[in-house]
Amino acid sequence: MDFVIPPPAPSSLPVTGTTARFPVRRIWCVGRNYAEHARELGHDPEREPPFFFSKPADALLADGKSLPYPPQTGDLHFEAELVVALGTGGKDISHEAALDHVWGYAAGNDFTRRDLQAVAKKLGRPWDLAKGFDFSAACGALSPVAASGHLAQGRIALSVDGVQRQEGDLSEMIWSVAEIIAALSASVELKPGDLIYTGTPAGVGAVERGQTVRVDILGLGSLVTPVI
């Protein structure tokens, strides 16, 4: 096939313990999926169904790679998250069958320009520029389900320069991985290569230039991101 311009390089993630790569199609994110985080943002977690936003696939930032402090913000926030990688897709996936579509898991960080997000919320505008900027989707190496099993509980934590800033347990998610997949597939057809960032525990906050952010999830290892 002839293209009028060179096609962009496909986005992908490393797979733990191998030289193979996992191709990434889309990145979906779940908002306010931990009760305490919802409360710290002024929302009632008992009243909200799951809602979703997205980041472009080329916003991926691999483990150990530096994040250039993004423009147009003075309030860059970290958000530690469990990332789900889909090996198969579908529409209207049932809760019971949802985990069969999971290929693997990784530690992620949903970097956010919080001040831009606050303005967008106030004006009723989309969050795209607050959430989907360059290198905003940090993600560690993927661990296949065959190696890690399905993760329904376990410590998730984030530190900045060695000081712990977030800590929770995956069991505290309001909507489980299976429920998230089922709900999202009711709105869009999910496909192999899709990633889902599953929400963050309480304690989100700002990170400055020169600091290093580390996400740890039990069973998955760490994701380290220097901010430059």
Side-chain angles (χ1 to χ4, degrees), residues 85-105:
L86 299 185
T88 57
K91 298 179 182 178
D92 296 315
I93 298 169
S94 70
H95 171 265
E96 294 74 19
L99 292 182
D100 294 339
H101 296 270
V102 176
W103 189 90
Y105 297 93

Side-chain angles (χ1 to χ4, degrees), residues 119-186:
V119 171
K121 287 180 178 179
K122 183 177 181 180
L123 298 177
R125 293 176 177 173
W127 294 3
D128 296 61
L129 293 181
K131 287 285 192 178
F133 55 91
D134 297 340
F135 312 116
S136 60
C139 191
L142 283 169
S143 179
V145 168
S148 65
H150 287 293
L151 301 179
Q153 60 184 12
R155 180 176 180 265
I156 176 172
L158 180 145
S159 62
V160 178
D161 288 347
V163 178
Q164 185 172 295
R165 302 288 294 278
Q166 287 185 278
E167 184 175 26
D169 194 280
L170 299 177
S171 64
E172 297 168 355
M173 286 195 288
I174 299 169
W175 302 93
S176 69
V177 170
E179 290 169 330
I180 290 167
I181 293 171
L184 183 55
S185 71

Side-chain angles (χ1 to χ4, degrees), residues 19-117:
T19 59
R21 306 285 299 186
F22 182 90
V24 175
R25 174 181 174 265
R26 286 183 175 178
I27 301 174
W28 302 101
C29 305
V30 186
R32 299 194 289 264
N33 196 32
Y34 286 74
E36 289 306 313
H37 174 56
R39 293 187 184 103
E40 76 179 348
L41 295 180
H43 298 274
D44 182 353
E46 304 301 325
R47 296 186 178 184
E48 291 188 328
F51 71 94
F52 303 92
F53 57 93
S54 63
K55 293 174 180 267
D58 63 3
L60 279 174
L61 182 68
D63 176 41
K65 298 295 185 181
S66 296
L67 170 64
Y69 197 95
Q72 305 298 317
T73 185
D75 196 21
L76 176 67
H77 277 211
F78 51 76
E79 296 189 11
E81 309 207 6
L82 173 69
V83 179
V84 177
L86 299 185
T88 57
K91 298 179 182 178
D92 296 315
I93 298 169
S94 70
H95 171 265
E96 294 74 19
L99 292 182
D100 294 339
H101 296 270
V102 176
W103 189 90
Y105 297 93
N109 199 330
D110 168 21
F111 284 104
T112 303
R113 293 193 278 202
R114 192 70 74 198
D115 42 3
L116 269 65
Q117 185 186 37

